[in-house]
Amino acid sequence: MTSVTPTVQPEVHPVGAHRAEVDRIRDDFPGLHQQVAGHPLVYLDSAATALKPRQVLDAERRFAELRTAAVHRGAHTLAATATEEFEGARATVAAFIGAAPDEVVWTSNATEAINLVAYGFSNASTGDRLDGTDAFRLGPGDEIVVTELEHHANLIPWQELARRTGAALRHLPVTEDGELRMDLAPDVIGSRTRILAFSHISNVLGSVAPVAELVRQARAVGAVTVLDACQSVPHRPVDVHALGVDFAVFSGHKMLGPTGIGVLYGRRELLRELPPFLTGGSMISTVTMERAEYLPPPHRFEAGTQKVSQAIALAAAVDYLREVGMDRIGQWQGMLGQRLAAGLVGIRGVRLLGPAPGTERAGLASFEVDGVHAHDVGQFLDDRGIAVRVGHHCAQPLHRRLGLTASTRASTYLYTTAEEVDLVLESVADVRPFFLGTPR
Amino acid sequence: MTSVTPTVQPEVHPVGAHRAEVDRIRDDFPGLHQQVAGHPLVYLDSAATALKPRQVLDAERRFAELRTAAVHRGAHTLAATATEEFEGARATVAAFIGAAPDEVVWTSNATEAINLVAYGFSNASTGDRLDGTDAFRLGPGDEIVVTELEHHANLIPWQELARRTGAALRHLPVTEDGELRMDLAPDVIGSRTRILAFSHISNVLGSVAPVAELVRQARAVGAVTVLDACQSVPHRPVDVHALGVDFAVFSGHKMLGPTGIGVLYGRRELLRELPPFLTGGSMISTVTMERAEYLPPPHRFEAGTQKVSQAIALAAAVDYLREVGMDRIGQWQGMLGQRLAAGLVGIRGVRLLGPAPGTERAGLASFEVDGVHAHDVGQFLDDRGIAVRVGHHCAQPLHRRLGLTASTRASTYLYTTAEEVDLVLESVADVRPFFLGTPR
Amino acid sequence: MTAAELGALYQQLILDHARERHGEGLQPTGSVQSRQVNPLCGDEVTVQLTVDPATGNIASLHWEGRGCAISTASASLLADLVHELPADELTTRIGHFRDVMRSRGTLEPDEDLLADAVALQGVARYVARVKCAMLPWVACEDALRMLAAPSAPEPV
Amino acid sequence: MTAAELGALYQQLILDHARERHGEGLQPTGSVQSRQVNPLCGDEVTVQLTVDPATGNIASLHWEGRGCAISTASASLLADLVHELPADELTTRIGHFRDVMRSRGTLEPDEDLLADAVALQGVARYVARVKCAMLPWVACEDALRMLAAPSAPEPV
Ligand SMILES: Cc1ncc(COP(=O)(O)O)c(C=O)c1O
Ligand SMILES: Cc1ncc(COP(=O)(O)O)c(C=O)c1O
Ligand code: FES
Ligand code: FES
């Protein structure tokens, strides 16, 4: 595989030293030890959703078996225990991102968390709600700013908020290579900007946003910042207070946790002012037929029976990640990302998207194979047991900007080995020969 | 225990015949076989949340272990299999309630399902959305009608919808005994009524609404009906098409399924017209920076990574319930409800809420113990291993109407035995002697 | 919780105070009052303090409310405790009571400070009921704060 | 899927048609055309039919689009199939192709009806790719419907 030898050498990144630890980690993931198409599974789709370790599955099951009880609603022993464990899970997840427990709201995924903030703004802006919500009142003349590389989850809720309130949606463009046009930021972010929503790490490019600089510019104009941390919180240490963002969102299923749970972080002062989104039981203090009074955060935002066993399982996932160490996970994945990028640029007819090898990137890489549709690339790799993601990865505008409708993405996690990365590189090198009959 | 002997006799309801089957069922529920306060757990809080059988926990775990993959997003084998199982789960749940698969939308609980409908209405009524949504456009002069016995989940979202759109919220009152004032229905439901939202079965009283009559009146004035089926779908056969309602909601965790999943049923013609609620990935066809085009139902309403393993587990719960048979479950619980009601009215100083013994009621009963606060009643029962629910059960207006701030509720499920019912009756009879020193 | 423990929670003294309530009923002449709601159950209590004009000490505590045996007994026991205490001293004692309640049963109450209210110590092991016992004490603390200078109540 | 199966999906004939596409490029003179989008991937194809004025049969099929090897090969194979077929006959054959595609591999295609397009039979076992193969056929079916009387397209 001469054409795909990674330019990043084992000497520089000590593969061997980590290997024993990664093997130990892999033992914890039953999903890794299955066969696909007669091959051992090579799971390179962790940016879509991560595999789950035994420890998380055990915690979830133990809770679901024995602790079944509505939290915050029962006086009996089971309910009291469930409530304590549920709030304990909140504290665990809050500590993981450097937040206070009452700054953490459970949602069903990151998408819902962004919608919660967007609807909070529109609920402050429509109808007769009046008290304490000036910070969130939007109308014509106001502007919401996103970037051109956003996941649909961090774009469409803002389009809809703009539609509902009459505010305008603007965006910070990217170059045709996918780089944020930070030079244009001062033009786009201005005195009319009320919200600046952006991804910490692009799920397509693996590039990292200049959070400090964007937060600085948003603060300078008094805009609220919303960080899509879906691809950062699972993969590297993130401290929301240190970053200085107002809101941040991420999903449990991308960080070893179960589906059905996500997190909204909100800075305490802002969360206190944000009107409720979903309404119903357990988020109220007093209810008459005419009106309801709402609890303080976080409970104001958690209507109805909560994702209890999912919250417990997510806390177990966080415990697992902390035990391994987010610093190490971040380093390890940075190395895998470099290995991917370096390998891909060495393959004939392959276009690497996002940062060039050697430039900071997360543990993932997307690419185009000239003359072969991404779905065919994915099918070809699947035949070798390699699971990658193909399509627009919920980022159609970015793909359009890159001149593509679809790409192929390989993404890693703490259980990914360098050998697996090499295997996908090797296989990608075989794609054009197979479909186009070109030489390797 | 002379004072609490149920007036419903074993001859009438063949306790013995069912007992062997219930024992077999109980073996499937690990949660039943635990000790609380040194006593075997007597779980009489199933109306809040149900215990889960092995079969459901196994299905969820198997899926989470091996099938981890984002559905509707991946081309690889794991993703294709996950997608098939996920849509299979939808078909299973749809068939369970007599609906078509594309009439079933996953939500995180029943509360969110009601919010989805309410926000659908307001999204059709605010901003510049114009196409095809006349059916959902609300404004001043329009009326939303609920009943006075609703759970907060079926009240506050409508209050907020009224606030956002300028529509008025009205309600069908109940008598001081909690009976729906059907005599007033023709006054309350009229030509201005656009939405009629009501519970199938009251979670406090166990009474059953005259669905056919309410649907008839709503249809006569062209109002959309929303059925809160949280306490019916888990406990008796429900066919949404036969009932003729436009929307219906229920929660997985009350029917042997996991937390974190709920269901919205919507009549196909209406669901097609309803604007989206949560927006983001997987619910769109085409996205530009300016606007998005949305998929048809049900996917239009399922933004972001879905509650996949929860949907699989809920389908397993439905399989379990079907295997036992919803008819039998309904009969069995009706009998337990009667036994509870009859027993409670026989206890000195206890006021039974809702239908008198002999009148139709679900398998639950709420009551007041004269002179003893509900939380003290609950604590007393907990000391004997009996888990009941105390408080307003998310129905403050109903409690206010009944002259109470709180009550105690015992609720049963397919795993509840007549002996457990007798045990709670026995213990309730001891409450006033303990707290007030009164004779039994 | 075994039956023995139920007795530890609902000591006879608590059951007695829940039935025979001391200080129940507000006075037309009180100095300050504070109403507090228990968010867990919606129950509430209004506590009224009367200052002895001669000594500046707390002359009496009256209350009115709705709640469980724990919260009513707690109000009644508190009413017995306050008589002729200086405001500062009462504040200190409330602080001690809070510490005991939050200790999950690890902190022994000081009978010199709490008198009969030590009977409430069993509550500390029932996290869900701690707010019941605290409710009147929080209202009292808030009223004391008003005596010093009117300000916002602290959360229960 | 083993390597052997990958070959069953991407038969050499399919790879050839994906590269050397028959009928690609729309004509200025076509009789009717229909554009269809694959909702799973966003790819699309526009199919154009030309009617032979003498016989009333389908003279030719041209297409233009964007898609994977399966969908482009499928369009190319379909272009080879239509020549001088009566519209009814073509509709029947499309129906048979759909049945094969939906059969999950249980229905053998009839080579008399589908000619070289039988090479697509391997797709039937890949549920996620069935829409790829169907896409041009659905567009063709829709165009045929327009020939009869203009109406709304059926979903893929
Ligand atoms: C009648 C009724 N409606 C709505 C709900 C709300 O359900 P959930 O909390 O699962 O959203 C419940 C249960 O709590 C209920 O009993
Ligand atoms: C950057 C980014 N934002 C948002 C999301 C949406 O997350 P979810 O689908 O869990 O809501 C994802 C993942 O799909 C993502 O990668
Ligand atoms: S239960 Fe309300 S104060 Fe104790
Ligand atoms: S992947 Fe788009 S048509 Fe095949």
Side-chain angles (χ1 to χ4, degrees), chain B residues 39-386:
Chain B
H39 299 271
L41 170 65
V42 175
Y43 189 72
L44 289 167
D45 198 15
S46 292
T49 200
L51 300 176
K52 290 124 192 44
R54 261 186 306 109
Q55 289 83 342
V56 168
L57 300 165
D58 288 348
E60 184 169 16
R61 176 154 191 155
R62 200 164 40 235
F63 189 88
E65 258 181 18
L66 298 179
R67 294 278 177 272
T68 284
V71 303
H72 288 301
R73 283 197 190 174
H76 56 76
T77 301
L78 286 186
T81 314
T83 304
E84 271 189 62
E85 294 190 23
F86 179 67
E87 291 302 327
R90 191 194 306 275
T92 298
V93 171
F96 185 64
I97 57 165
D102 64 350
E103 295 179 318
V104 160
V105 175
W106 303 119
T107 65
S108 56
N109 55 23
T111 301
E112 184 173 89
I114 296 172
N115 277 273
L116 190 163
V117 178
Y119 275 104
F121 271 94
S122 59
N123 283 342
S125 311
T126 44
D128 59 9
R129 184 181 303 283
L130 287 171
D131 34 23
T133 51
D134 265 6
F136 298 106
R137 197 159 301 130
L138 281 191
D142 290 327
E143 292 177 358
I144 305 163
V145 175
V146 296
T147 86
E148 201 176 10
L149 58 70
E150 296 310 313
H151 189 282
H152 295 161
N154 201 26
L155 169 59
I156 311 179
W158 307 118
Q159 291 178 346
E160 288 286 320
L161 174 60
R163 183 190 66 69
R164 286 193 297 269
T165 58
L169 180 67
R170 300 188 59 186
H171 67 266
L172 193 60
V174 297
T175 67
E176 56 198 13
D177 291 328
E179 235 175 294
L180 274 186
R181 291 287 306 273
M182 285 303 289
D183 56 317
L184 298 180
D187 300 336
V188 179
I189 304 167
S191 61
R192 292 162 170 264
T193 310
R194 300 290 311 284
I195 301 170
L196 174 63
F198 60 100
S199 297
H200 196 172
I201 293 180
S202 159
N203 67 316
V204 177
L205 307 170
S207 53
V208 185
V211 180
E213 177 56 21
L214 287 168
V215 167
R216 196 192 60 73
Q217 294 196 28
R219 281 206 181 140
V221 298
V224 166
T225 47
V226 181
L227 186 72
D228 178 348
C230 281
Q231 297 296 341
S232 57
V233 164
H235 298 290
R236 51 172 64 192
V238 170
D239 183 318
V240 289
H241 286 175
L243 290 176
V245 293
D246 294 315
F247 292 100
V249 306
F250 52 97
S251 276
H253 68 93
K254 292 186 200 279
M255 52 191 286
L256 314 185
T259 57
I261 189 146
V263 170
L264 170 70
Y265 157 79
R267 199 155 56 75
R268 184 178 290 134
E269 296 71 35
L270 278 176
L271 216 48
R272 273 207 196 123
E273 300 292 314
L274 191 68
F277 165 43
L278 301 172
T279 57
S282 302
M283 48 80 73
I284 54 83
S285 53
T286 313
V287 179
T288 64
M289 287 310 291
E290 290 70 39
R291 67 189 305 276
E293 279 164 38
Y294 300 114
L295 291 176
H299 303 294
R300 182 194 301 156
F301 303 105
E302 296 175 355
T305 306
Q306 287 301 293
K307 308 105 183 107
V308 191
S309 54
Q310 291 77 30
I312 302 298
L314 179 54
V318 161
D319 287 340
Y320 190 96
L321 290 170
R322 292 185 88 148
E323 180 114 353
V324 177
M326 289 310 294
D327 274 322
R328 297 168 64 82
I329 292 172
Q331 280 161 20
W332 180 243
Q333 288 200 253
M335 180 191 127
L336 292 175
Q338 291 301 332
R339 195 176 184 101
L340 268 172
L344 286 166
V345 296
I347 302 173
R348 191 181 318 219
V350 167
R351 171 186 169 201
L352 172 72
L353 309 181
T359 312
E360 180 176 22
R361 79 156 53 226
L364 65 85
S366 300
F367 56 95
E368 184 205 2
V369 180
D370 188 35
V372 184
H373 192 284
H375 273 74
D376 294 320
V377 176
Q379 195 85 56
F380 182 85
L381 297 178
D382 187 57
D383 185 55
R384 298 189 177 182
I386 303 170

Side-chain angles (χ1 to χ4, degrees), chain D residues 3-155:
Chain D
E5 292 182 68
L6 189 69
L9 177 62
Y10 294 113
Q11 293 191 19
Q12 193 54 47
L13 194 67
I14 293 180
L15 296 178
D16 292 345
H17 273 269
R19 276 178 249 166
E20 296 283 341
R21 301 162 183 180
H22 301 181
E24 193 175 22
L26 299 182
Q27 304 300 307
T29 58
S31 309
V32 287
Q33 66 182 50
S34 166
R35 175 174 171 270
Q36 296 293 320
V37 177
N38 181 343
L40 292 184
C41 55
D43 290 326
E44 54 174 67
V45 71
T46 301
V47 159
Q48 178 191 51
L49 297 177
T50 308
V51 176
D52 182 334
T55 61
N57 293 344
I58 307 300
S60 65
L61 179 152
H62 288 86
W63 61 276
E64 210 166 75
R66 188 183 66 207
C68 61
I70 306 289
S71 69
T72 42
S74 184
S76 176
L77 287 159
L78 178 60
D80 282 354
L81 184 71
V82 300
H83 293 299
E84 285 306 327
L85 286 183
D88 282 6
E89 175 59 22
L90 183 51
T91 301
T92 306
R93 293 181 182 204
I94 293 172
H96 175 61
F97 184 74
R98 173 180 282 120
D99 291 344
V100 172
M101 285 297 118
R102 287 188 178 166
S103 76
R104 294 180 175 242
T106 62
L107 189 67
E108 275 295 308
D110 183 340
E111 197 161 351
D112 290 346
L113 296 179
L114 302 183
D116 278 357
V118 296
L120 288 161
Q121 72 180 105
V123 178
R125 297 192 25 241
Y126 296 87
V127 177
R129 305 304 295 278
V130 166
K131 278 200 201 318
C132 301
M134 283 303 301
L135 192 63
W137 301 65
V138 169
C140 180
E141 193 175 39
D142 186 46
L144 287 168
R145 221 179 281 125
M146 287 178 201
L147 276 185
S151 79
E154 226 187 66

Side-chain angles (χ1 to χ4, degrees), chain A residues 85-204:
Chain A
E85 294 191 21
F86 179 67
E87 291 303 328
R90 192 194 304 276
T92 298
V93 172
F96 185 64
I97 56 164
D102 64 350
E103 295 180 319
V104 161
V105 176
W106 303 118
T107 65
S108 56
N109 53 25
T111 301
E112 184 173 88
I114 296 172
N115 278 273
L116 190 163
V117 177
Y119 275 104
F121 272 94
S122 60
N123 284 342
S125 311
T126 45
D128 60 7
R129 183 182 306 282
L130 288 171
D131 32 24
T133 51
D134 265 5
F136 298 105
R137 198 161 300 131
L138 281 191
D142 290 328
E143 292 177 357
I144 304 162
V145 174
V146 297
T147 86
E148 201 176 8
L149 59 69
E150 295 311 312
H151 190 282
H152 295 160
N154 201 25
L155 168 60
I156 311 180
W158 306 118
Q159 292 178 346
E160 288 286 319
L161 173 60
R163 185 191 64 71
R164 288 193 297 268
T165 58
L169 181 67
R170 299 187 62 186
H171 66 267
L172 194 58
V174 297
T175 66
E176 56 198 14
D177 290 329
E179 235 176 294
L180 275 186
R181 292 285 307 272
M182 286 302 291
D183 56 317
L184 298 180
D187 299 336
V188 179
I189 304 166
S191 61
R192 290 161 171 264
T193 310
R194 300 291 309 285
I195 300 170
L196 173 63
F198 61 99
S199 297
H200 196 172
I201 292 180
S202 160
N203 67 316
V204 177

Side-chain angles (χ1 to χ4, degrees), chain B residues 37 373 375-376 379 383 435-436, chain C residues 1-2 10 19 43 69 129:
Chain B
H373 192 284
H375 273 74
D376 294 320
Q379 195 85 56
D383 185 55
F435 284 100
L436 307 176
Chain C
M1 182 166 75
T2 68
Y10 294 113
R19 277 179 249 167
D43 290 327
R129 305 305 295 277

Side-chain angles (χ1 to χ4, degrees), chain A residues 198-236:
Chain A
F198 61 99
S199 297
H200 196 172
I201 292 180
S202 160
N203 67 316
V204 177
L205 307 170
S207 54
V208 185
V211 180
E213 176 56 20
L214 287 168
V215 166
R216 195 191 60 72
Q217 294 196 27
R219 280 207 181 137
V221 298
V224 166
T225 47
V226 181
L227 186 73
D228 177 348
C230 281
Q231 297 296 344
S232 56
V233 165
H235 298 291
R236 49 173 66 193

Side-chain angles (χ1 to χ4, degrees), chain A residues 36-39 371 373 375-380 382-384 391-392 396 405-406 433-438, chain D residues 1-7 9-10 12 15 19 21 40-43 66-70 126 128-129 132:
Chain A
V36 168
H39 299 271
H373 191 286
H375 273 74
D376 294 320
V377 176
Q379 195 86 57
F380 181 85
D382 187 56
D383 184 55
R384 299 190 177 181
H392 51 61
Q396 284 188 358
T405 55
F434 178 81
F435 284 100
L436 307 178
T438 56
Chain D
M1 181 168 68
T2 67
E5 292 182 68
L6 189 69
L9 177 62
Y10 294 113
Q12 193 54 47
L15 296 178
R19 276 178 249 166
R21 301 162 183 180
L40 292 184
C41 55
D43 290 326
R66 188 183 66 207
C68 61
I70 306 289
Y126 296 87
R129 305 304 295 278
C132 301

